[in-house]
Amino acid sequence: QDGLVSFLETCCTIGDDTLTVRAHELYQAYALWSRSRGTPRLSEYAFSRLILLRGFHRLRHASGRCYQGLMLTVPPNQLATRLQSSV
């Protein structure tokens, strides 16, 4: 199965354009997720391209680049703990 799809299903809520997540936080969550599963990690560039190919939009906000249409289900500072407990 596509690793990105599995990550999105496990760690994200997908919805309408009111949901947003900072691009850097999403990639860091993906990196933690892939490390916890022992799977190869996409580069940040490849990850970004695949997110855009899945139909999500990238925006620029004062806080940095964001993706629209999804959000992390767990705050980034709690993700490592959650992933360790699910392994």
Side-chain angles (χ1 to χ4, degrees):
Q1 179 176 341
D2 182 344
L4 182 59
V5 170
S6 184
F7 164 72
L8 292 173
E9 290 173 349
T10 303
C11 299
C12 298
T13 299
I14 297 171
D16 61 33
D17 289 346
T18 62
L19 301 178
T20 60
V21 61
R22 291 184 60 213
H24 181 71
E25 288 178 358
L26 186 64
Y27 182 74
Q28 291 301 327
Y30 165 75
L32 283 170
W33 176 86
S34 63
R35 187 178 323 131
S36 75
R37 298 187 47 108
T39 59
R41 181 176 62 173
L42 296 168
S43 70
E44 194 164 359
Y45 176 78
F47 177 82
S48 175
R49 287 191 43 86
L50 288 175
I51 290 290
L52 294 173
L53 285 172
R54 297 239 183 261
F56 299 106
H57 300 282
R58 186 171 51 206
L59 307 171
R60 187 178 295 250
H61 286 279
S63 62
R65 293 178 194 249
C66 297
Y67 293 109
Q68 191 174 34
L70 74 160
M71 62 183 256
L72 290 169
T73 56
V74 176
N77 61 346
Q78 297 175 14
L79 187 61
T81 304
R82 178 179 174 195
L83 290 172
Q84 288 175 349
S85 66
S86 68
V87 175

XYZ file of all heavy atoms in Angstrom:
693
model
N 0.848 -1.195 0.000
C 0.000 0.000 0.000
C 0.882 1.243 0.000
O 1.973 1.262 0.529
C -0.903 0.002 1.224
C -1.793 1.208 1.294
C -2.758 1.133 2.473
O -2.998 0.088 3.016
N -3.283 2.271 2.837
N 0.380 2.287 -0.590
C 1.071 3.568 -0.667
C 1.327 4.110 0.735
O 0.407 4.279 1.527
C 0.187 4.520 -1.470
C 0.797 5.883 -1.689
O 1.757 6.239 -0.986
O 0.308 6.596 -2.562
N 2.596 4.356 1.069
C 2.948 4.844 2.394
C 2.327 6.182 2.724
O 1.951 6.424 3.866
N 2.203 7.044 1.738
C 1.607 8.351 2.005
C 0.137 8.209 2.383
O -0.332 8.857 3.315
C 1.767 9.279 0.804
C 1.228 10.689 0.989
C 1.914 11.395 2.162
C 1.376 11.485 -0.272
N -0.578 7.328 1.695
C -1.990 7.104 2.022
C -2.118 6.585 3.444
O -2.964 7.043 4.216
C -2.642 6.130 1.014
C -4.022 5.700 1.486
C -2.732 6.769 -0.360
N -1.268 5.642 3.807
C -1.304 5.087 5.160
C -1.023 6.168 6.200
O -1.700 6.234 7.232
C -0.293 3.945 5.274
O -0.380 3.336 6.523
N -0.048 7.025 5.939
C 0.248 8.126 6.843
C -0.959 9.048 6.985
O -1.355 9.416 8.096
C 1.463 8.928 6.359
C 1.593 10.275 7.011
C 1.984 10.376 8.333
C 1.284 11.426 6.309
C 2.080 11.629 8.957
C 1.383 12.677 6.916
C 1.784 12.763 8.236
N -1.554 9.426 5.864
C -2.705 10.334 5.895
C -3.865 9.719 6.668
O -4.520 10.397 7.457
C -3.128 10.707 4.469
C -2.146 11.566 3.678
C -2.603 11.713 2.234
C -1.929 12.919 4.325
N -4.115 8.422 6.460
C -5.210 7.747 7.166
C -4.944 7.641 8.661
O -5.862 7.730 9.469
C -5.435 6.353 6.582
C -6.032 6.379 5.198
C -6.107 5.002 4.560
O -5.514 4.035 5.101
O -6.749 4.900 3.502
N -3.684 7.438 9.032
C -3.314 7.223 10.428
C -3.193 8.523 11.217
O -3.603 8.585 12.375
C -1.962 6.471 10.509
O -2.088 5.247 9.798
C -1.557 6.189 11.938
N -2.635 9.541 10.607
C -2.231 10.736 11.353
C -2.977 12.016 10.999
O -2.723 13.048 11.621
C -0.734 10.970 11.146
S 0.295 9.611 11.726
N -3.860 11.970 10.023
C -4.499 13.199 9.559
C -6.012 13.085 9.503
O -6.562 11.993 9.374
C -3.998 13.560 8.157
S -2.230 13.896 8.103
N -6.643 14.232 9.583
C -8.065 14.374 9.292
C -8.143 15.101 7.961
O -7.503 16.139 7.782
C -8.768 15.205 10.381
O -8.633 14.532 11.622
C -10.228 15.414 10.062
N -8.900 14.540 7.051
C -9.045 15.131 5.730
C -10.455 15.690 5.622
O -11.421 15.023 6.000
C -8.767 14.093 4.632
C -7.311 13.626 4.761
C -9.054 14.661 3.250
C -6.954 12.462 3.895
N -10.557 16.922 5.147
C -11.873 17.550 5.082
C -11.893 18.702 4.113
O -11.194 18.701 3.108
N -12.664 19.702 4.469
C -12.829 20.850 3.575
C -11.676 21.845 3.752
O -10.745 21.618 4.514
C -14.188 21.511 3.789
C -14.364 22.036 5.202
O -13.373 22.482 5.831
O -15.497 22.013 5.704
N -11.776 22.937 3.045
C -10.696 23.922 3.023
C -10.521 24.698 4.319
O -9.608 25.503 4.431
C -10.898 24.892 1.860
C -10.637 24.232 0.515
O -10.053 23.125 0.498
O -11.006 24.820 -0.511
N -11.395 24.478 5.311
C -11.193 25.150 6.596
C -10.082 24.479 7.401
O -9.558 25.080 8.334
C -12.485 25.166 7.438
O -12.875 23.823 7.723
C -13.597 25.908 6.711
N -9.724 23.246 7.046
C -8.638 22.548 7.740
C -7.316 22.956 7.116
O -7.170 22.972 5.893
C -8.809 21.032 7.622
C -10.095 20.434 8.164
C -10.117 18.930 7.914
C -10.252 20.738 9.634
N -6.348 23.284 7.960
C -5.011 23.611 7.467
C -3.965 23.031 8.401
O -4.226 22.780 9.582
C -4.775 25.130 7.357
O -4.922 25.721 8.643
C -5.723 25.784 6.374
N -2.790 22.821 7.851
C -1.650 22.356 8.632
C -0.398 22.994 8.039
O -0.292 23.144 6.816
C -1.555 20.804 8.623
C -1.365 20.255 7.226
C -0.450 20.315 9.550
N 0.508 23.391 8.913
C 1.769 23.951 8.424
C 2.545 22.867 7.696
O 2.619 21.728 8.148
C 2.586 24.517 9.582
C 1.932 25.774 10.169
C 2.769 26.416 11.248
N 4.061 26.791 10.707
C 5.190 26.765 11.418
N 5.178 26.414 12.679
N 6.332 27.113 10.861
N 3.091 23.199 6.546
C 3.797 22.225 5.711
C 4.942 21.565 6.465
O 5.126 20.347 6.391
C 4.308 22.900 4.437
N 5.703 22.335 7.205
C 6.840 21.782 7.940
C 6.372 20.803 9.017
O 6.971 19.741 9.202
C 7.667 22.911 8.564
C 8.859 22.425 9.307
N 9.960 21.901 8.672
C 9.119 22.360 10.629
C 10.849 21.532 9.584
N 10.364 21.804 10.776
N 5.298 21.140 9.719
C 4.775 20.244 10.750
C 4.262 18.947 10.142
O 4.453 17.869 10.703
C 3.653 20.919 11.539
C 4.139 22.002 12.462
C 3.010 22.690 13.213
O 1.823 22.352 12.984
O 3.314 23.562 14.033
N 3.609 19.034 8.991
C 3.107 17.831 8.336
C 4.266 16.928 7.916
O 4.230 15.717 8.131
C 2.248 18.196 7.124
C 1.558 17.025 6.436
C 0.539 16.367 7.364
C 0.888 17.491 5.151
N 5.306 17.517 7.343
C 6.451 16.710 6.929
C 7.167 16.108 8.138
O 7.564 14.938 8.105
C 7.441 17.512 6.076
C 8.572 16.633 5.620
C 8.369 15.692 4.614
C 9.823 16.697 6.225
C 9.395 14.847 4.219
C 10.847 15.856 5.833
C 10.632 14.932 4.826
O 11.641 14.076 4.434
N 7.319 16.864 9.209
C 7.969 16.324 10.409
C 7.156 15.161 10.977
O 7.720 14.157 11.429
C 8.153 17.422 11.466
C 9.177 18.466 11.085
C 10.554 17.872 10.842
O 10.954 16.914 11.462
N 11.280 18.456 9.908
N 5.839 15.281 10.952
C 4.972 14.187 11.416
C 5.156 12.969 10.522
O 5.248 11.829 11.007
C 3.515 14.634 11.425
N 5.227 13.184 9.218
C 5.458 12.088 8.282
C 6.809 11.427 8.550
O 6.918 10.193 8.550
C 5.383 12.594 6.837
C 5.961 11.628 5.862
C 5.258 10.473 5.500
C 7.223 11.836 5.324
C 5.813 9.561 4.625
C 7.777 10.926 4.437
C 7.076 9.791 4.105
O 7.628 8.880 3.232
N 7.841 12.225 8.795
C 9.170 11.672 9.072
C 9.156 10.813 10.338
O 9.732 9.714 10.362
C 10.195 12.805 9.193
N 8.494 11.282 11.393
C 8.360 10.479 12.620
C 7.589 9.195 12.355
O 7.961 8.121 12.828
C 7.634 11.279 13.704
C 8.415 12.339 14.440
C 7.469 13.175 15.296
C 9.479 11.688 15.310
N 6.509 9.308 11.608
C 5.685 8.147 11.287
C 6.487 7.104 10.510
O 6.466 5.919 10.843
C 4.461 8.602 10.493
C 3.602 7.473 10.024
C 2.607 6.851 10.720
C 3.665 6.833 8.752
N 2.051 5.855 9.948
C 2.687 5.830 8.736
C 4.460 7.015 7.622
C 2.475 5.008 7.639
C 4.250 6.197 6.524
C 3.268 5.209 6.542
N 7.206 7.538 9.485
C 7.969 6.581 8.668
C 9.089 5.946 9.484
O 9.351 4.749 9.353
C 8.509 7.240 7.396
O 9.419 8.259 7.686
N 9.734 6.714 10.356
C 10.782 6.154 11.213
C 10.192 5.118 12.170
O 10.775 4.060 12.377
C 11.476 7.263 12.005
C 12.682 6.756 12.779
C 13.430 7.851 13.542
N 13.486 9.111 12.831
C 13.176 10.274 13.366
N 12.770 10.364 14.618
N 13.260 11.379 12.674
N 9.020 5.411 12.731
C 8.407 4.482 13.687
C 7.991 3.176 13.013
O 7.934 2.138 13.661
C 7.198 5.129 14.372
O 6.092 5.192 13.501
N 7.717 3.221 11.724
C 7.305 2.021 10.981
C 8.481 1.340 10.303
O 8.317 0.271 9.730
C 6.249 2.394 9.956
C 5.000 2.937 10.636
C 3.871 3.161 9.707
N 3.631 2.047 8.822
C 2.601 1.222 8.893
N 1.721 1.372 9.845
N 2.442 0.267 8.014
N 9.643 1.978 10.329
C 10.813 1.396 9.680
C 10.712 1.388 8.162
O 11.274 0.520 7.500
N 9.995 2.356 7.621
C 9.828 2.435 6.175
C 10.681 3.558 5.600
O 10.977 4.532 6.292
C 8.351 2.680 5.798
O 7.911 3.894 6.406
C 7.471 1.538 6.265
N 11.075 3.444 4.342
C 11.862 4.519 3.721
C 11.066 5.823 3.717
O 9.849 5.822 3.543
C 12.081 4.024 2.291
C 11.874 2.557 2.344
C 10.877 2.315 3.437
N 11.780 6.902 3.909
C 11.145 8.224 3.989
C 11.344 8.978 2.685
O 12.437 8.995 2.123
C 11.782 8.996 5.145
C 11.204 10.361 5.349
C 11.799 11.025 6.539
N 13.237 11.212 6.345
C 14.008 11.894 7.168
N 13.509 12.419 8.255
N 15.286 12.030 6.923
N 10.289 9.612 2.218
C 10.378 10.481 1.054
C 11.143 11.748 1.418
O 11.092 12.191 2.567
C 8.980 10.894 0.588
C 8.052 9.809 0.073
C 6.631 10.350 -0.050
C 8.542 9.290 -1.266
N 11.793 12.350 0.441
C 12.395 13.654 0.672
C 11.273 14.668 0.872
O 10.116 14.422 0.497
C 13.253 14.069 -0.521
O 12.418 14.361 -1.632
N 11.602 15.795 1.459
C 10.582 16.819 1.675
C 9.993 17.304 0.352
O 8.796 17.542 0.238
C 11.158 17.985 2.479
C 10.110 18.906 3.023
C 10.613 19.820 4.125
O 11.792 19.728 4.499
O 9.803 20.632 4.596
N 10.834 17.391 -0.664
C 10.364 17.816 -1.990
C 9.381 16.790 -2.569
O 8.305 17.151 -3.043
C 11.554 18.011 -2.928
C 11.156 18.364 -4.329
C 10.751 19.659 -4.652
C 11.162 17.405 -5.333
C 10.365 19.990 -5.940
C 10.776 17.732 -6.628
C 10.391 19.016 -6.922
O 10.008 19.342 -8.197
N 9.751 15.503 -2.525
C 8.878 14.445 -3.057
C 7.568 14.374 -2.271
O 6.493 14.212 -2.847
C 9.600 13.099 -3.023
N 7.659 14.501 -0.952
C 6.474 14.486 -0.110
C 5.530 15.623 -0.505
O 4.332 15.415 -0.694
C 6.902 14.623 1.361
C 5.765 14.694 2.325
C 5.129 13.546 2.765
C 5.327 15.917 2.812
C 4.081 13.608 3.669
C 4.285 15.991 3.714
C 3.660 14.838 4.139
N 6.075 16.813 -0.673
C 5.272 17.978 -1.043
C 4.584 17.758 -2.389
O 3.396 18.044 -2.547
C 6.152 19.219 -1.100
O 5.431 20.325 -1.563
N 5.311 17.244 -3.357
C 4.720 17.005 -4.679
C 3.577 15.997 -4.596
O 2.541 16.182 -5.230
C 5.784 16.523 -5.664
C 6.716 17.663 -6.070
C 7.615 17.331 -7.225
N 7.016 16.627 -8.330
C 6.382 17.200 -9.358
N 6.247 18.507 -9.396
N 5.907 16.470 -10.344
N 3.758 14.933 -3.812
C 2.701 13.928 -3.688
C 1.468 14.484 -2.971
O 0.337 14.151 -3.329
C 3.223 12.685 -2.974
C 4.177 11.829 -3.803
C 4.736 10.683 -2.959
C 3.494 11.290 -5.048
N 1.691 15.325 -1.964
C 0.553 15.961 -1.279
C -0.235 16.811 -2.279
O -1.465 16.751 -2.333
C 1.040 16.818 -0.086
C 1.560 15.925 1.043
C -0.055 17.753 0.414
C 0.505 15.126 1.766
N 0.468 17.567 -3.099
C -0.204 18.403 -4.088
C -0.908 17.552 -5.146
O -2.022 17.876 -5.566
C 0.793 19.356 -4.745
C 1.394 20.410 -3.803
C 2.491 21.196 -4.518
C 0.333 21.321 -3.244
N -0.298 16.442 -5.546
C -0.925 15.548 -6.527
C -2.186 14.897 -5.974
O -3.069 14.500 -6.731
C 0.062 14.469 -6.981
C 1.146 14.943 -7.938
C 2.171 13.833 -8.171
C 0.543 15.383 -9.269
N -2.297 14.792 -4.660
C -3.490 14.224 -4.028
C -4.630 15.252 -3.962
O -5.700 14.958 -3.464
C -3.171 13.739 -2.626
C -2.157 12.639 -2.616
C -2.688 11.399 -1.970
N -1.664 10.383 -1.920
C -1.561 9.383 -2.772
N -2.431 9.251 -3.726
N -0.595 8.504 -2.660
N -4.368 16.466 -4.458
C -5.433 17.453 -4.552
C -5.455 18.482 -3.433
O -6.347 19.336 -3.407
N -4.496 18.436 -2.526
C -4.440 19.446 -1.473
C -3.766 20.691 -2.030
O -2.959 20.614 -2.949
C -3.684 18.917 -0.250
C -4.342 17.707 0.354
C -3.793 16.451 0.180
C -5.516 17.829 1.077
C -4.406 15.336 0.713
C -6.137 16.721 1.621
C -5.575 15.465 1.428
N -4.105 21.837 -1.473
C -3.563 23.110 -1.943
C -2.545 23.630 -0.944
O -2.704 23.479 0.262
C -4.678 24.146 -2.112
C -5.702 23.708 -3.087
N -5.521 23.773 -4.445
C -6.936 23.176 -2.903
C -6.593 23.303 -5.054
N -7.467 22.935 -4.136
N -1.496 24.249 -1.471
C -0.474 24.860 -0.610
C -0.698 26.359 -0.615
O -0.871 26.976 -1.662
C 0.913 24.516 -1.114
C 2.007 24.992 -0.194
C 3.362 24.479 -0.581
N 3.629 24.718 -1.979
C 4.466 23.981 -2.704
N 5.094 22.970 -2.167
N 4.668 24.266 -3.968
N -0.710 26.929 0.572
C -0.907 28.366 0.748
C 0.277 28.949 1.492
O 0.969 28.245 2.219
C -2.170 28.629 1.573
C -3.457 27.982 1.104
C -4.535 28.163 2.159
C -3.892 28.614 -0.203
N 0.449 30.245 1.351
C 1.484 30.937 2.122
C 0.784 31.847 3.128
O -0.027 32.692 2.749
C 2.377 31.755 1.210
C 3.566 32.355 1.928
C 4.428 33.099 0.955
N 5.013 32.194 -0.013
C 6.307 31.890 -0.058
N 7.133 32.426 0.807
N 6.774 31.076 -0.967
N 1.059 31.617 4.406
C 0.510 32.438 5.489
C 1.661 33.150 6.186
O 2.824 32.848 5.942
C -0.208 31.549 6.525
C -1.518 31.030 6.071
N -2.672 31.770 6.112
C -1.875 29.822 5.571
C -3.679 31.037 5.651
N -3.214 29.855 5.310
N 1.318 34.036 7.080
C 2.346 34.715 7.875
C 3.167 33.709 8.672
O 4.350 33.916 8.920
C 1.698 35.725 8.815
N 2.549 32.579 9.046
C 3.249 31.549 9.829
C 4.051 30.597 8.952
O 4.707 29.696 9.461
C 2.244 30.754 10.667
O 1.327 30.084 9.821
N 3.999 30.767 7.641
C 4.744 29.898 6.730
C 3.807 29.224 5.740
O 2.629 29.542 5.649
N 4.349 28.264 5.020
C 3.544 27.529 4.046
C 2.634 26.538 4.753
O 3.039 25.891 5.709
C 4.434 26.782 3.073
C 5.222 27.697 2.188
C 6.132 26.893 1.279
N 7.110 27.757 0.674
C 7.119 28.063 -0.611
N 6.223 27.560 -1.414
N 8.034 28.863 -1.091
N 1.421 26.417 4.232
C 0.418 25.520 4.808
C -0.232 24.712 3.697
O -0.245 25.125 2.539
C -0.667 26.309 5.534
S -0.086 27.241 6.935
N -0.759 23.571 4.082
C -1.613 22.793 3.187
C -3.047 22.965 3.646
O -3.330 22.958 4.839
C -1.239 21.314 3.198
C 0.113 21.049 2.600
C 1.179 20.668 3.403
C 0.330 21.174 1.230
C 2.426 20.427 2.861
C 1.582 20.941 0.682
C 2.618 20.564 1.500
O 3.854 20.335 0.962
N -3.929 23.069 2.693
C -5.338 23.283 2.962
C -6.094 21.991 2.662
O -5.826 21.323 1.667
C -5.828 24.408 2.063
C -7.186 24.936 2.369
C -7.496 26.139 1.494
O -7.075 26.219 0.344
N -8.234 27.077 2.040
N -7.032 21.634 3.555
C -7.866 20.465 3.341
C -7.528 19.290 4.238
O -8.150 18.243 4.153
N -6.540 19.472 5.098
C -6.187 18.424 6.044
C -5.539 19.026 7.280
O -5.115 20.180 7.272
C -5.269 17.381 5.426
C -3.812 17.744 5.169
C -2.993 16.480 5.022
C -3.658 18.576 3.929
N -5.502 18.236 8.341
C -4.827 18.649 9.563
C -4.347 17.395 10.288
O -4.841 16.297 10.040
C -5.734 19.468 10.472
C -6.961 18.733 10.959
S -8.038 19.765 11.964
C -7.647 19.144 13.579
N -3.375 17.563 11.156
C -2.896 16.440 11.963
C -3.930 16.110 13.024
O -4.536 17.002 13.613
C -1.565 16.794 12.623
C -0.369 16.903 11.673
C 0.827 17.507 12.383
C -0.029 15.537 11.097
N -4.125 14.823 13.291
C -5.091 14.411 14.308
C -4.526 14.559 15.710
O -5.275 14.610 16.677
C -5.537 12.950 14.106
O -4.374 12.119 14.089
C -6.306 12.791 12.827
N -3.197 14.612 15.813
C -2.526 14.746 17.102
C -1.561 15.921 16.983
O -0.875 16.055 15.969
C -1.735 13.461 17.439
C -0.960 13.603 18.715
C -2.673 12.271 17.514
N -1.482 16.778 17.997
C -0.514 17.877 17.935
C 0.902 17.332 17.720
O 1.244 16.268 18.237
C -0.637 18.547 19.307
C -1.992 18.163 19.799
C -2.265 16.805 19.229
N 1.710 18.032 16.936
C 3.051 17.541 16.619
C 3.886 17.164 17.842
O 4.623 16.185 17.807
C 3.696 18.706 15.864
C 2.543 19.454 15.301
C 1.427 19.298 16.288
N 3.738 17.896 18.947
C 4.546 17.597 20.127
C 4.094 16.317 20.836
O 4.781 15.829 21.715
C 4.555 18.776 21.097
C 3.162 19.125 21.601
O 2.154 18.684 21.057
N 3.107 19.926 22.634
N 2.941 15.759 20.470
C 2.453 14.516 21.069
C 2.530 13.329 20.114
O 2.273 12.196 20.511
C 1.006 14.689 21.533
C 0.830 15.718 22.614
C -0.640 15.928 22.952
O -1.493 15.147 22.581
N -0.919 17.005 23.664
N 2.895 13.582 18.876
C 2.864 12.531 17.868
C 3.862 11.413 18.155
O 3.522 10.237 18.030
C 3.115 13.121 16.482
C 2.957 12.162 15.316
C 1.531 11.617 15.264
C 3.300 12.837 14.015
N 5.081 11.749 18.560
C 6.083 10.717 18.822
C 5.605 9.758 19.897
O 5.753 8.535 19.767
C 7.417 11.355 19.209
N 5.005 10.277 20.956
C 4.498 9.434 22.041
C 3.388 8.523 21.529
O 3.364 7.324 21.837
C 3.967 10.304 23.194
O 5.012 11.177 23.607
C 3.499 9.456 24.346
N 2.495 9.054 20.747
C 1.386 8.246 20.219
C 1.902 7.137 19.311
O 1.444 6.001 19.365
C 0.413 9.126 19.456
C -0.715 8.319 18.863
C -1.701 9.167 18.117
N -2.673 8.313 17.467
C -3.469 8.698 16.533
N -3.456 9.941 16.121
N -4.311 7.869 15.968
N 2.867 7.463 18.444
C 3.407 6.464 17.531
C 4.133 5.358 18.297
O 4.024 4.197 17.935
C 4.340 7.123 16.516
C 3.642 8.011 15.484
C 4.680 8.765 14.669
C 2.732 7.197 14.591
N 4.868 5.711 19.335
C 5.575 4.692 20.126
C 4.597 3.753 20.814
O 4.831 2.567 20.902
C 6.478 5.351 21.154
C 7.692 6.002 20.548
C 8.519 6.765 21.555
O 8.094 6.983 22.686
N 9.700 7.178 21.146
N 3.473 4.280 21.280
C 2.509 3.451 21.979
C 1.711 2.566 21.027
O 1.118 1.575 21.449
C 1.550 4.303 22.812
O 0.751 5.102 21.983
N 1.700 2.897 19.731
C 0.930 2.089 18.770
C 1.770 1.010 18.109
O 1.255 0.216 17.351
C 0.287 2.980 17.717
O 1.286 3.549 16.883
N 3.079 0.998 18.378
C 3.959 0.003 17.749
C 3.943 -1.273 18.534
O 3.738 -1.404 19.651
C 5.406 0.551 17.620
C 6.337 -0.508 17.093
C 5.414 1.756 16.716
